[in-house]
Amino acid sequence: MANNASGGHLPHDMHPLGPVILKSTALTKHYGGVYALNDANFEIRKGEHVAIMGDNGAGKSTFVRQITAVEQRTSGTIWFDGRDVEFEGPLEARKAGIETVFQTLALADDLDVPDNLFLGREITRWNFLGPFRRLDYKAMRAKTLEGLEKTAVKIPNINNTIRNMSGGQRQCVAIARTATFHSKLTIMDEPTAALGVQETAQVENIIRTLKEAGEPLILISHNMRQVMDLVDRIVVFRRGRIVANLKKEETDGEDVVSYITGARTQPEYEVGAT
Amino acid sequence: MAETSQGTGGLKFDRNKRTWPNEANVFIALILLIGLFELIGHYRVGQSMLFDFNTNRDGTILNMARIRIIILQVSIIGIIALGVTQVIITGGIDLSSGSVVGMTAMIAMSFALTAEVNGNPNGRAIFLSEVDGQMVPTPWLHDLPVMVPILVGLLIGILAGFINGVFIAYTGIPPFIATLGMMVSARGVANWWSEGNPVSFPTDQYTALANGNLLDTLTFGLFSESWAMQEVFDGQNPAVFFILLAILFHFIMKHTIYGKHTYAIGSNEDAARMSGINVNRQKVLVYAIAGMLAGFAAILLTSKNLTAQSGMGLIYELDAIAMAVIGGVSLSGGRGSILGTVLGAMIFGIIISGFTYLRLDAFYQEIVKGMIIVGAVVLDQWRQRRASNR
């Protein structure tokens, strides 16, 4: 079994951050002749927060798009929550428990908070009516409040449409979506890139809440302070390859930057890296 | 800055950001418009438009004759507008509904005819067969139960909408182009069907669809003697159908998964797709329903007029779009409501009727109608920009 190669999910695995939840092996994606992602071996444990860093075009978002099945990989395997997976699309990945907060917020501006949280998986009644089955607003509202509470997000009026909300509130809604659905893995693609100082702090607080709750997170970010504050481990991408896998305690900002810019590459990733 | 900070990290509650329903604005516009017409009319014509204080002719201070005409005028196009509203909410547009009305009118009417008119063979029949060397209406295709032309009409409408939807969803061509093609082709079918000749003389049952008293039938004649039944609803079936359909689709748009996904697609198609909504299937469904409503409008129109002509429904699509846009349905998708469109239809009716009442030429009507459509879109754009700036 290919799974055994990881070793992370064996019964006697006593890693303090819990068993491995996601593992990619030799994950590769070409767009025609362009290698956007090459031979990425990555794993994350159940209670772990991992940052993915790298320059623009380094392959971070491409990597996430393969994991979440927004795109289909060229080759390689993805192992998630006990099995090798071949998700057909993002919905299937989400059903399996991978929740993504996209760089471009995947929110419908003209809908309110519960509508957005439950978009594509509404709670309904009268299900015999097919596409005309009735929405259970009451249940969705209750669950929304529950999810917001869990992430410590406070939104004054959840019946407001997203259009009427600030960037921070929008981001919080997007994040609260993951908490509402008890995801097994959360991926955030630059969640604070467009936010002000206060709003960023709010989002970071939510991330800490997730950490305390033992929910795994892959965080794509350019913000060195944020990464150093929030995660356990940093994986650096460069030109479509992983070039470093750094424990937070064993590195610092300058070190990480040298990997990002290409000044250094960890010895085990030397092959093919430029 | 005096801000009330609620929660952590500065998520503020701003009273000014509370939403005031757009339909309220449209309603106010309707009232103001009526006021304006009444005011001008008071000086120009010397009588009221909607009220009749002197004669008490219909047992009310309302000028029921005019109100009935206004409602009747808008309700058939209003039914089309209910479908167009849904299409526009997905971020699309349907230019074909007027032609689909023409096409459906011709075909459905052909199945609604009587074989004989005053003892003679129906000279406007489409389906003919030879009996004793003479071409006469084919017996088994005439005097059919009323359900037959109704089903034929609805199916033709659904088919036209389905074709629109499939092209838009699966080839990725803009809705404007797909429905423009349907607009031309459907009109072509309407002309080809009887080579331009009108199709006339429907069965009594079919005639009763638009000219009877549906509400009286639905209430088993219990209220036949009431004022409302006799003065308001008699012969107003298109209006009754319009209101019933508006209520039905209001519920569907607000309370079912179909409605939610329609709004979601118009609001952010990518988000809808990423959330796992089957965007393509939903679009096909929306266009098919819009087609069905256009088909139903054609049935009522032919029943009302006792004849079908290939030119029927000419530029109805623009009137229907205008009703939706005036009612606050945003052409960029995601915003608007059935209620808004109903109010938009009423504004539309008031404008048309108001010009007649002020004894102004019909030319002015059209000029002003065009200006109002553009004005409504400009207003929508402006409102949108303001919303995203704050």
Side-chain angles (χ1 to χ4, degrees), chain B residues 37-38 45 47-52 57-58 62-73 236 349-350 352-359:
Chain B
F37 273 118
E38 291 286 1
V45 220
Q47 63 174 9
S48 164
M49 175 165 70
L50 297 180
F51 300 95
D52 178 3
R57 189 170 40 198
D58 306 307
L62 293 169
N63 184 346
M64 285 313 290
R66 181 170 278 122
I67 290 177
R68 284 170 58 115
I69 289 171
I70 293 175
I71 295 175
L72 205 57
Q73 270 176 340
Q236 289 281 44
I350 293 288
I352 293 177
S353 179
F355 273 75
T356 318
Y357 151 73
L358 292 181
R359 293 169 195 161

PDB file of all heavy atoms in Angstrom, chain B residues 37-38 45 47-52 57-58 62-73 236 349-350 352-359:
ATOM      1  N   PHE B  37     -49.623  62.419 -12.431  1.00  0.00           N
ATOM      2  CA  PHE B  37     -50.634  62.343 -13.491  1.00  0.00           C
ATOM      3  C   PHE B  37     -51.942  63.004 -13.046  1.00  0.00           C
ATOM      4  O   PHE B  37     -52.585  63.711 -13.823  1.00  0.00           O
ATOM      5  CB  PHE B  37     -50.883  60.890 -13.900  1.00  0.00           C
ATOM      6  CG  PHE B  37     -49.938  60.404 -14.957  1.00  0.00           C
ATOM      7  CD1 PHE B  37     -49.069  59.355 -14.715  1.00  0.00           C
ATOM      8  CD2 PHE B  37     -49.916  61.012 -16.214  1.00  0.00           C
ATOM      9  CE1 PHE B  37     -48.203  58.910 -15.701  1.00  0.00           C
ATOM     10  CE2 PHE B  37     -49.048  60.562 -17.205  1.00  0.00           C
ATOM     11  CZ  PHE B  37     -48.182  59.507 -16.939  1.00  0.00           C
ATOM     12  N   GLU B  38     -52.318  62.742 -11.792  1.00  0.00           N
ATOM     13  CA  GLU B  38     -53.553  63.341 -11.287  1.00  0.00           C
ATOM     14  C   GLU B  38     -53.459  64.863 -11.309  1.00  0.00           C
ATOM     15  O   GLU B  38     -54.409  65.552 -11.675  1.00  0.00           O
ATOM     16  CB  GLU B  38     -53.832  62.863  -9.847  1.00  0.00           C
ATOM     17  CG  GLU B  38     -54.196  61.388  -9.734  1.00  0.00           C
ATOM     18  CD  GLU B  38     -55.618  61.077 -10.213  1.00  0.00           C
ATOM     19  OE1 GLU B  38     -56.311  62.008 -10.660  1.00  0.00           O
ATOM     20  OE2 GLU B  38     -56.009  59.898 -10.161  1.00  0.00           O
ATOM     21  N   VAL B  45     -57.069  68.053 -18.176  1.00  0.00           N
ATOM     22  CA  VAL B  45     -58.296  67.375 -18.616  1.00  0.00           C
ATOM     23  C   VAL B  45     -59.481  67.707 -17.719  1.00  0.00           C
ATOM     24  O   VAL B  45     -60.622  67.525 -18.111  1.00  0.00           O
ATOM     25  CB  VAL B  45     -58.108  65.839 -18.627  1.00  0.00           C
ATOM     26  CG1 VAL B  45     -58.784  65.247 -19.837  1.00  0.00           C
ATOM     27  CG2 VAL B  45     -56.649  65.444 -18.550  1.00  0.00           C
ATOM     28  N   GLN B  47     -60.398  66.168 -15.035  1.00  0.00           N
ATOM     29  CA  GLN B  47     -61.000  65.049 -14.298  1.00  0.00           C
ATOM     30  C   GLN B  47     -59.882  64.152 -13.769  1.00  0.00           C
ATOM     31  O   GLN B  47     -58.743  64.236 -14.207  1.00  0.00           O
ATOM     32  CB  GLN B  47     -61.956  64.264 -15.187  1.00  0.00           C
ATOM     33  CG  GLN B  47     -61.243  63.628 -16.366  1.00  0.00           C
ATOM     34  CD  GLN B  47     -62.160  62.725 -17.170  1.00  0.00           C
ATOM     35  OE1 GLN B  47     -63.330  62.693 -16.953  1.00  0.00           O
ATOM     36  NE2 GLN B  47     -61.609  61.992 -18.096  1.00  0.00           N
ATOM     37  N   SER B  48     -60.281  63.310 -12.828  1.00  0.00           N
ATOM     38  CA  SER B  48     -59.267  62.469 -12.202  1.00  0.00           C
ATOM     39  C   SER B  48     -58.993  61.225 -13.048  1.00  0.00           C
ATOM     40  O   SER B  48     -59.851  60.774 -13.811  1.00  0.00           O
ATOM     41  CB  SER B  48     -59.740  62.054 -10.808  1.00  0.00           C
ATOM     42  OG  SER B  48     -58.983  60.978 -10.350  1.00  0.00           O
ATOM     43  N   MET B  49     -57.765  60.655 -12.899  1.00  0.00           N
ATOM     44  CA  MET B  49     -57.425  59.487 -13.682  1.00  0.00           C
ATOM     45  C   MET B  49     -58.003  58.215 -13.070  1.00  0.00           C
ATOM     46  O   MET B  49     -58.689  57.452 -13.721  1.00  0.00           O
ATOM     47  CB  MET B  49     -55.906  59.354 -13.806  1.00  0.00           C
ATOM     48  CG  MET B  49     -55.477  58.066 -14.508  1.00  0.00           C
ATOM     49  SD  MET B  49     -53.775  58.013 -15.078  1.00  0.00           S
ATOM     50  CE  MET B  49     -52.874  57.933 -13.566  1.00  0.00           C
ATOM     51  N   LEU B  50     -57.710  58.022 -11.773  1.00  0.00           N
ATOM     52  CA  LEU B  50     -58.076  56.757 -11.162  1.00  0.00           C
ATOM     53  C   LEU B  50     -59.332  56.848 -10.302  1.00  0.00           C
ATOM     54  O   LEU B  50     -59.854  55.850  -9.855  1.00  0.00           O
ATOM     55  CB  LEU B  50     -56.919  56.229 -10.310  1.00  0.00           C
ATOM     56  CG  LEU B  50     -55.629  55.904 -11.072  1.00  0.00           C
ATOM     57  CD1 LEU B  50     -54.582  55.389 -10.112  1.00  0.00           C
ATOM     58  CD2 LEU B  50     -55.879  54.887 -12.166  1.00  0.00           C
ATOM     59  N   PHE B  51     -59.779  58.073 -10.054  1.00  0.00           N
ATOM     60  CA  PHE B  51     -60.926  58.222  -9.160  1.00  0.00           C
ATOM     61  C   PHE B  51     -62.113  58.807  -9.900  1.00  0.00           C
ATOM     62  O   PHE B  51     -61.967  59.444 -10.944  1.00  0.00           O
ATOM     63  CB  PHE B  51     -60.565  59.110  -7.964  1.00  0.00           C
ATOM     64  CG  PHE B  51     -59.444  58.542  -7.160  1.00  0.00           C
ATOM     65  CD1 PHE B  51     -58.134  58.942  -7.378  1.00  0.00           C
ATOM     66  CD2 PHE B  51     -59.686  57.573  -6.186  1.00  0.00           C
ATOM     67  CE1 PHE B  51     -57.095  58.404  -6.649  1.00  0.00           C
ATOM     68  CE2 PHE B  51     -58.650  57.031  -5.451  1.00  0.00           C
ATOM     69  CZ  PHE B  51     -57.350  57.447  -5.673  1.00  0.00           C
ATOM     70  N   ASP B  52     -63.280  58.548  -9.376  1.00  0.00           N
ATOM     71  CA  ASP B  52     -64.501  59.027  -9.995  1.00  0.00           C
ATOM     72  C   ASP B  52     -65.448  59.397  -8.860  1.00  0.00           C
ATOM     73  O   ASP B  52     -66.184  58.572  -8.346  1.00  0.00           O
ATOM     74  CB  ASP B  52     -65.096  57.917 -10.876  1.00  0.00           C
ATOM     75  CG  ASP B  52     -66.402  58.363 -11.515  1.00  0.00           C
ATOM     76  OD1 ASP B  52     -66.783  59.533 -11.310  1.00  0.00           O
ATOM     77  OD2 ASP B  52     -67.019  57.543 -12.192  1.00  0.00           O
ATOM     78  N   ARG B  57     -70.409  55.379 -10.378  1.00  0.00           N
ATOM     79  CA  ARG B  57     -70.962  54.477 -11.375  1.00  0.00           C
ATOM     80  C   ARG B  57     -70.827  52.996 -10.978  1.00  0.00           C
ATOM     81  O   ARG B  57     -71.714  52.204 -11.139  1.00  0.00           O
ATOM     82  CB  ARG B  57     -70.258  54.729 -12.700  1.00  0.00           C
ATOM     83  CG  ARG B  57     -70.868  54.030 -13.885  1.00  0.00           C
ATOM     84  CD  ARG B  57     -70.225  54.554 -15.149  1.00  0.00           C
ATOM     85  NE  ARG B  57     -68.788  54.753 -14.946  1.00  0.00           N
ATOM     86  CZ  ARG B  57     -68.031  55.501 -15.724  1.00  0.00           C
ATOM     87  NH1 ARG B  57     -68.545  56.141 -16.744  1.00  0.00           N
ATOM     88  NH2 ARG B  57     -66.742  55.629 -15.507  1.00  0.00           N
ATOM     89  N   ASP B  58     -69.646  52.666 -10.450  1.00  0.00           N
ATOM     90  CA  ASP B  58     -69.398  51.252 -10.159  1.00  0.00           C
ATOM     91  C   ASP B  58     -69.532  50.940  -8.676  1.00  0.00           C
ATOM     92  O   ASP B  58     -69.004  49.948  -8.191  1.00  0.00           O
ATOM     93  CB  ASP B  58     -67.989  50.871 -10.624  1.00  0.00           C
ATOM     94  CG  ASP B  58     -67.791  51.242 -12.078  1.00  0.00           C
ATOM     95  OD1 ASP B  58     -68.622  50.830 -12.886  1.00  0.00           O
ATOM     96  OD2 ASP B  58     -66.815  51.955 -12.386  1.00  0.00           O
ATOM     97  N   LEU B  62     -63.593  54.718  -7.087  1.00  0.00           N
ATOM     98  CA  LEU B  62     -62.553  54.453  -8.068  1.00  0.00           C
ATOM     99  C   LEU B  62     -63.146  54.428  -9.467  1.00  0.00           C
ATOM    100  O   LEU B  62     -64.293  54.035  -9.657  1.00  0.00           O
ATOM    101  CB  LEU B  62     -61.881  53.105  -7.783  1.00  0.00           C
ATOM    102  CG  LEU B  62     -61.057  53.036  -6.500  1.00  0.00           C
ATOM    103  CD1 LEU B  62     -60.666  51.600  -6.203  1.00  0.00           C
ATOM    104  CD2 LEU B  62     -59.838  53.928  -6.578  1.00  0.00           C
ATOM    105  N   ASN B  63     -62.355  54.842 -10.407  1.00  0.00           N
ATOM    106  CA  ASN B  63     -62.761  54.764 -11.794  1.00  0.00           C
ATOM    107  C   ASN B  63     -62.428  53.360 -12.301  1.00  0.00           C
ATOM    108  O   ASN B  63     -61.370  53.113 -12.887  1.00  0.00           O
ATOM    109  CB  ASN B  63     -62.010  55.828 -12.598  1.00  0.00           C
ATOM    110  CG  ASN B  63     -62.453  55.865 -14.045  1.00  0.00           C
ATOM    111  OD1 ASN B  63     -63.120  54.948 -14.526  1.00  0.00           O
ATOM    112  ND2 ASN B  63     -62.080  56.930 -14.734  1.00  0.00           N
ATOM    113  N   MET B  64     -63.341  52.423 -11.988  1.00  0.00           N
ATOM    114  CA  MET B  64     -63.052  51.016 -12.251  1.00  0.00           C
ATOM    115  C   MET B  64     -62.794  50.742 -13.724  1.00  0.00           C
ATOM    116  O   MET B  64     -61.975  49.902 -14.071  1.00  0.00           O
ATOM    117  CB  MET B  64     -64.209  50.131 -11.760  1.00  0.00           C
ATOM    118  CG  MET B  64     -64.253  49.959 -10.252  1.00  0.00           C
ATOM    119  SD  MET B  64     -62.672  49.559  -9.515  1.00  0.00           S
ATOM    120  CE  MET B  64     -62.440  47.900 -10.115  1.00  0.00           C
ATOM    121  N   ALA B  65     -63.499  51.450 -14.591  1.00  0.00           N
ATOM    122  CA  ALA B  65     -63.325  51.181 -16.022  1.00  0.00           C
ATOM    123  C   ALA B  65     -61.860  51.342 -16.417  1.00  0.00           C
ATOM    124  O   ALA B  65     -61.267  50.488 -17.063  1.00  0.00           O
ATOM    125  CB  ALA B  65     -64.209  52.127 -16.829  1.00  0.00           C
ATOM    126  N   ARG B  66     -61.267  52.469 -15.966  1.00  0.00           N
ATOM    127  CA  ARG B  66     -59.881  52.707 -16.356  1.00  0.00           C
ATOM    128  C   ARG B  66     -58.942  51.736 -15.646  1.00  0.00           C
ATOM    129  O   ARG B  66     -58.006  51.216 -16.251  1.00  0.00           O
ATOM    130  CB  ARG B  66     -59.479  54.147 -16.065  1.00  0.00           C
ATOM    131  CG  ARG B  66     -58.044  54.419 -16.480  1.00  0.00           C
ATOM    132  CD  ARG B  66     -57.651  55.874 -16.455  1.00  0.00           C
ATOM    133  NE  ARG B  66     -58.065  56.579 -17.668  1.00  0.00           N
ATOM    134  CZ  ARG B  66     -58.852  57.642 -17.661  1.00  0.00           C
ATOM    135  NH1 ARG B  66     -59.321  58.097 -16.524  1.00  0.00           N
ATOM    136  NH2 ARG B  66     -59.173  58.233 -18.785  1.00  0.00           N
ATOM    137  N   ILE B  67     -59.206  51.502 -14.370  1.00  0.00           N
ATOM    138  CA  ILE B  67     -58.322  50.605 -13.619  1.00  0.00           C
ATOM    139  C   ILE B  67     -58.319  49.218 -14.231  1.00  0.00           C
ATOM    140  O   ILE B  67     -57.280  48.574 -14.368  1.00  0.00           O
ATOM    141  CB  ILE B  67     -58.745  50.576 -12.132  1.00  0.00           C
ATOM    142  CG1 ILE B  67     -58.410  51.928 -11.493  1.00  0.00           C
ATOM    143  CG2 ILE B  67     -58.027  49.448 -11.380  1.00  0.00           C
ATOM    144  CD1 ILE B  67     -58.830  52.069 -10.061  1.00  0.00           C
ATOM    145  N   ARG B  68     -59.503  48.755 -14.651  1.00  0.00           N
ATOM    146  CA  ARG B  68     -59.576  47.436 -15.284  1.00  0.00           C
ATOM    147  C   ARG B  68     -58.743  47.394 -16.558  1.00  0.00           C
ATOM    148  O   ARG B  68     -58.042  46.427 -16.827  1.00  0.00           O
ATOM    149  CB  ARG B  68     -61.038  47.091 -15.614  1.00  0.00           C
ATOM    150  CG  ARG B  68     -61.857  46.673 -14.413  1.00  0.00           C
ATOM    151  CD  ARG B  68     -63.321  46.594 -14.788  1.00  0.00           C
ATOM    152  NE  ARG B  68     -63.523  45.647 -15.881  1.00  0.00           N
ATOM    153  CZ  ARG B  68     -64.213  44.521 -15.752  1.00  0.00           C
ATOM    154  NH1 ARG B  68     -64.772  44.222 -14.614  1.00  0.00           N
ATOM    155  NH2 ARG B  68     -64.350  43.709 -16.770  1.00  0.00           N
ATOM    156  N   ILE B  69     -58.822  48.466 -17.332  1.00  0.00           N
ATOM    157  CA  ILE B  69     -58.054  48.497 -18.579  1.00  0.00           C
ATOM    158  C   ILE B  69     -56.550  48.480 -18.279  1.00  0.00           C
ATOM    159  O   ILE B  69     -55.776  47.746 -18.898  1.00  0.00           O
ATOM    160  CB  ILE B  69     -58.429  49.745 -19.419  1.00  0.00           C
ATOM    161  CG1 ILE B  69     -59.838  49.569 -19.980  1.00  0.00           C
ATOM    162  CG2 ILE B  69     -57.430  49.947 -20.539  1.00  0.00           C
ATOM    163  CD1 ILE B  69     -60.397  50.795 -20.643  1.00  0.00           C
ATOM    164  N   ILE B  70     -56.163  49.275 -17.267  1.00  0.00           N
ATOM    165  CA  ILE B  70     -54.735  49.325 -16.925  1.00  0.00           C
ATOM    166  C   ILE B  70     -54.243  47.932 -16.550  1.00  0.00           C
ATOM    167  O   ILE B  70     -53.229  47.446 -17.055  1.00  0.00           O
ATOM    168  CB  ILE B  70     -54.484  50.296 -15.744  1.00  0.00           C
ATOM    169  CG1 ILE B  70     -54.786  51.733 -16.170  1.00  0.00           C
ATOM    170  CG2 ILE B  70     -53.042  50.174 -15.266  1.00  0.00           C
ATOM    171  CD1 ILE B  70     -54.674  52.737 -15.047  1.00  0.00           C
ATOM    172  N   ILE B  71     -55.007  47.267 -15.665  1.00  0.00           N
ATOM    173  CA  ILE B  71     -54.581  45.953 -15.187  1.00  0.00           C
ATOM    174  C   ILE B  71     -54.528  44.945 -16.334  1.00  0.00           C
ATOM    175  O   ILE B  71     -53.579  44.180 -16.477  1.00  0.00           O
ATOM    176  CB  ILE B  71     -55.525  45.461 -14.064  1.00  0.00           C
ATOM    177  CG1 ILE B  71     -55.394  46.380 -12.852  1.00  0.00           C
ATOM    178  CG2 ILE B  71     -55.197  44.034 -13.669  1.00  0.00           C
ATOM    179  CD1 ILE B  71     -56.367  46.068 -11.742  1.00  0.00           C
ATOM    180  N   LEU B  72     -55.542  45.004 -17.170  1.00  0.00           N
ATOM    181  CA  LEU B  72     -55.587  44.066 -18.290  1.00  0.00           C
ATOM    182  C   LEU B  72     -54.412  44.285 -19.238  1.00  0.00           C
ATOM    183  O   LEU B  72     -53.814  43.340 -19.742  1.00  0.00           O
ATOM    184  CB  LEU B  72     -56.916  44.250 -19.042  1.00  0.00           C
ATOM    185  CG  LEU B  72     -57.418  43.049 -19.822  1.00  0.00           C
ATOM    186  CD1 LEU B  72     -57.568  41.864 -18.886  1.00  0.00           C
ATOM    187  CD2 LEU B  72     -58.753  43.376 -20.472  1.00  0.00           C
ATOM    188  N   GLN B  73     -54.099  45.571 -19.457  1.00  0.00           N
ATOM    189  CA  GLN B  73     -52.999  45.892 -20.363  1.00  0.00           C
ATOM    190  C   GLN B  73     -51.682  45.311 -19.879  1.00  0.00           C
ATOM    191  O   GLN B  73     -50.869  44.849 -20.677  1.00  0.00           O
ATOM    192  CB  GLN B  73     -52.842  47.415 -20.478  1.00  0.00           C
ATOM    193  CG  GLN B  73     -53.654  48.020 -21.592  1.00  0.00           C
ATOM    194  CD  GLN B  73     -53.543  49.522 -21.598  1.00  0.00           C
ATOM    195  OE1 GLN B  73     -53.179  50.148 -20.596  1.00  0.00           O
ATOM    196  NE2 GLN B  73     -53.851  50.118 -22.720  1.00  0.00           N
ATOM    197  N   GLN B 236     -61.522  39.382 -16.182  1.00  0.00           N
ATOM    198  CA  GLN B 236     -60.162  39.842 -15.874  1.00  0.00           C
ATOM    199  C   GLN B 236     -59.222  38.665 -15.632  1.00  0.00           C
ATOM    200  O   GLN B 236     -58.268  38.772 -14.868  1.00  0.00           O
ATOM    201  CB  GLN B 236     -60.178  40.735 -14.624  1.00  0.00           C
ATOM    202  CG  GLN B 236     -60.802  42.090 -14.828  1.00  0.00           C
ATOM    203  CD  GLN B 236     -59.858  43.063 -15.506  1.00  0.00           C
ATOM    204  OE1 GLN B 236     -59.196  42.727 -16.457  1.00  0.00           O
ATOM    205  NE2 GLN B 236     -59.790  44.271 -14.993  1.00  0.00           N
ATOM    206  N   GLY B 349     -48.031  50.325 -16.544  1.00  0.00           N
ATOM    207  CA  GLY B 349     -49.438  50.496 -16.925  1.00  0.00           C
ATOM    208  C   GLY B 349     -49.926  51.912 -16.707  1.00  0.00           C
ATOM    209  O   GLY B 349     -50.662  52.471 -17.533  1.00  0.00           O
ATOM    210  N   ILE B 350     -49.514  52.496 -15.576  1.00  0.00           N
ATOM    211  CA  ILE B 350     -49.921  53.870 -15.272  1.00  0.00           C
ATOM    212  C   ILE B 350     -49.388  54.834 -16.329  1.00  0.00           C
ATOM    213  O   ILE B 350     -50.087  55.755 -16.766  1.00  0.00           O
ATOM    214  CB  ILE B 350     -49.404  54.281 -13.862  1.00  0.00           C
ATOM    215  CG1 ILE B 350     -50.107  53.478 -12.772  1.00  0.00           C
ATOM    216  CG2 ILE B 350     -49.575  55.775 -13.635  1.00  0.00           C
ATOM    217  CD1 ILE B 350     -51.548  53.858 -12.557  1.00  0.00           C
ATOM    218  N   ILE B 352     -48.558  54.195 -19.531  1.00  0.00           N
ATOM    219  CA  ILE B 352     -49.264  54.032 -20.804  1.00  0.00           C
ATOM    220  C   ILE B 352     -50.662  54.645 -20.717  1.00  0.00           C
ATOM    221  O   ILE B 352     -51.076  55.462 -21.548  1.00  0.00           O
ATOM    222  CB  ILE B 352     -49.371  52.543 -21.169  1.00  0.00           C
ATOM    223  CG1 ILE B 352     -47.982  51.991 -21.474  1.00  0.00           C
ATOM    224  CG2 ILE B 352     -50.288  52.363 -22.372  1.00  0.00           C
ATOM    225  CD1 ILE B 352     -47.986  50.516 -21.766  1.00  0.00           C
ATOM    226  N   SER B 353     -51.371  54.260 -19.654  1.00  0.00           N
ATOM    227  CA  SER B 353     -52.741  54.724 -19.511  1.00  0.00           C
ATOM    228  C   SER B 353     -52.776  56.217 -19.242  1.00  0.00           C
ATOM    229  O   SER B 353     -53.676  56.922 -19.705  1.00  0.00           O
ATOM    230  CB  SER B 353     -53.398  53.952 -18.379  1.00  0.00           C
ATOM    231  OG  SER B 353     -54.703  54.374 -18.196  1.00  0.00           O
ATOM    232  N   GLY B 354     -51.790  56.681 -18.484  1.00  0.00           N
ATOM    233  CA  GLY B 354     -51.751  58.093 -18.127  1.00  0.00           C
ATOM    234  C   GLY B 354     -51.626  58.988 -19.334  1.00  0.00           C
ATOM    235  O   GLY B 354     -52.237  60.054 -19.396  1.00  0.00           O
ATOM    236  N   PHE B 355     -50.860  58.542 -20.311  1.00  0.00           N
ATOM    237  CA  PHE B 355     -50.690  59.369 -21.513  1.00  0.00           C
ATOM    238  C   PHE B 355     -51.983  59.449 -22.308  1.00  0.00           C
ATOM    239  O   PHE B 355     -52.325  60.500 -22.842  1.00  0.00           O
ATOM    240  CB  PHE B 355     -49.551  58.814 -22.374  1.00  0.00           C
ATOM    241  CG  PHE B 355     -48.219  59.362 -21.970  1.00  0.00           C
ATOM    242  CD1 PHE B 355     -47.589  58.912 -20.826  1.00  0.00           C
ATOM    243  CD2 PHE B 355     -47.608  60.354 -22.723  1.00  0.00           C
ATOM    244  CE1 PHE B 355     -46.371  59.434 -20.440  1.00  0.00           C
ATOM    245  CE2 PHE B 355     -46.385  60.866 -22.337  1.00  0.00           C
ATOM    246  CZ  PHE B 355     -45.766  60.415 -21.200  1.00  0.00           C
ATOM    247  N   THR B 356     -52.695  58.334 -22.334  1.00  0.00           N
ATOM    248  CA  THR B 356     -53.984  58.348 -23.019  1.00  0.00           C
ATOM    249  C   THR B 356     -54.931  59.295 -22.297  1.00  0.00           C
ATOM    250  O   THR B 356     -55.649  60.086 -22.912  1.00  0.00           O
ATOM    251  CB  THR B 356     -54.594  56.934 -23.024  1.00  0.00           C
ATOM    252  OG1 THR B 356     -53.547  56.016 -23.307  1.00  0.00           O
ATOM    253  CG2 THR B 356     -55.674  56.799 -24.049  1.00  0.00           C
ATOM    254  N   TYR B 357     -54.918  59.186 -20.976  1.00  0.00           N
ATOM    255  CA  TYR B 357     -55.788  60.011 -20.135  1.00  0.00           C
ATOM    256  C   TYR B 357     -55.478  61.496 -20.306  1.00  0.00           C
ATOM    257  O   TYR B 357     -56.369  62.341 -20.339  1.00  0.00           O
ATOM    258  CB  TYR B 357     -55.616  59.532 -18.690  1.00  0.00           C
ATOM    259  CG  TYR B 357     -55.823  60.547 -17.606  1.00  0.00           C
ATOM    260  CD1 TYR B 357     -57.098  61.007 -17.290  1.00  0.00           C
ATOM    261  CD2 TYR B 357     -54.747  60.997 -16.859  1.00  0.00           C
ATOM    262  CE1 TYR B 357     -57.274  61.920 -16.269  1.00  0.00           C
ATOM    263  CE2 TYR B 357     -54.920  61.898 -15.845  1.00  0.00           C
ATOM    264  CZ  TYR B 357     -56.181  62.372 -15.545  1.00  0.00           C
ATOM    265  OH  TYR B 357     -56.348  63.262 -14.547  1.00  0.00           O
ATOM    266  N   LEU B 358     -54.203  61.814 -20.473  1.00  0.00           N
ATOM    267  CA  LEU B 358     -53.830  63.222 -20.673  1.00  0.00           C
ATOM    268  C   LEU B 358     -54.033  63.650 -22.122  1.00  0.00           C
ATOM    269  O   LEU B 358     -53.702  64.759 -22.504  1.00  0.00           O
ATOM    270  CB  LEU B 358     -52.363  63.426 -20.285  1.00  0.00           C
ATOM    271  CG  LEU B 358     -52.018  63.276 -18.804  1.00  0.00           C
ATOM    272  CD1 LEU B 358     -50.536  63.533 -18.569  1.00  0.00           C
ATOM    273  CD2 LEU B 358     -52.853  64.227 -17.956  1.00  0.00           C
ATOM    274  N   ARG B 359     -54.561  62.710 -22.919  1.00  0.00           N
ATOM    275  CA  ARG B 359     -54.836  62.963 -24.338  1.00  0.00           C
ATOM    276  C   ARG B 359     -53.586  63.376 -25.098  1.00  0.00           C
ATOM    277  O   ARG B 359     -53.597  64.278 -25.924  1.00  0.00           O
ATOM    278  CB  ARG B 359     -55.926  64.022 -24.484  1.00  0.00           C
ATOM    279  CG  ARG B 359     -57.262  63.490 -23.974  1.00  0.00           C
ATOM    280  CD  ARG B 359     -58.284  64.578 -23.854  1.00  0.00           C
ATOM    281  NE  ARG B 359     -59.418  64.122 -23.028  1.00  0.00           N
ATOM    282  CZ  ARG B 359     -60.277  64.946 -22.461  1.00  0.00           C
ATOM    283  NH1 ARG B 359     -60.175  66.232 -22.606  1.00  0.00           N
ATOM    284  NH2 ARG B 359     -61.261  64.458 -21.734  1.00  0.00           N
TER     285      ARG B 359
END
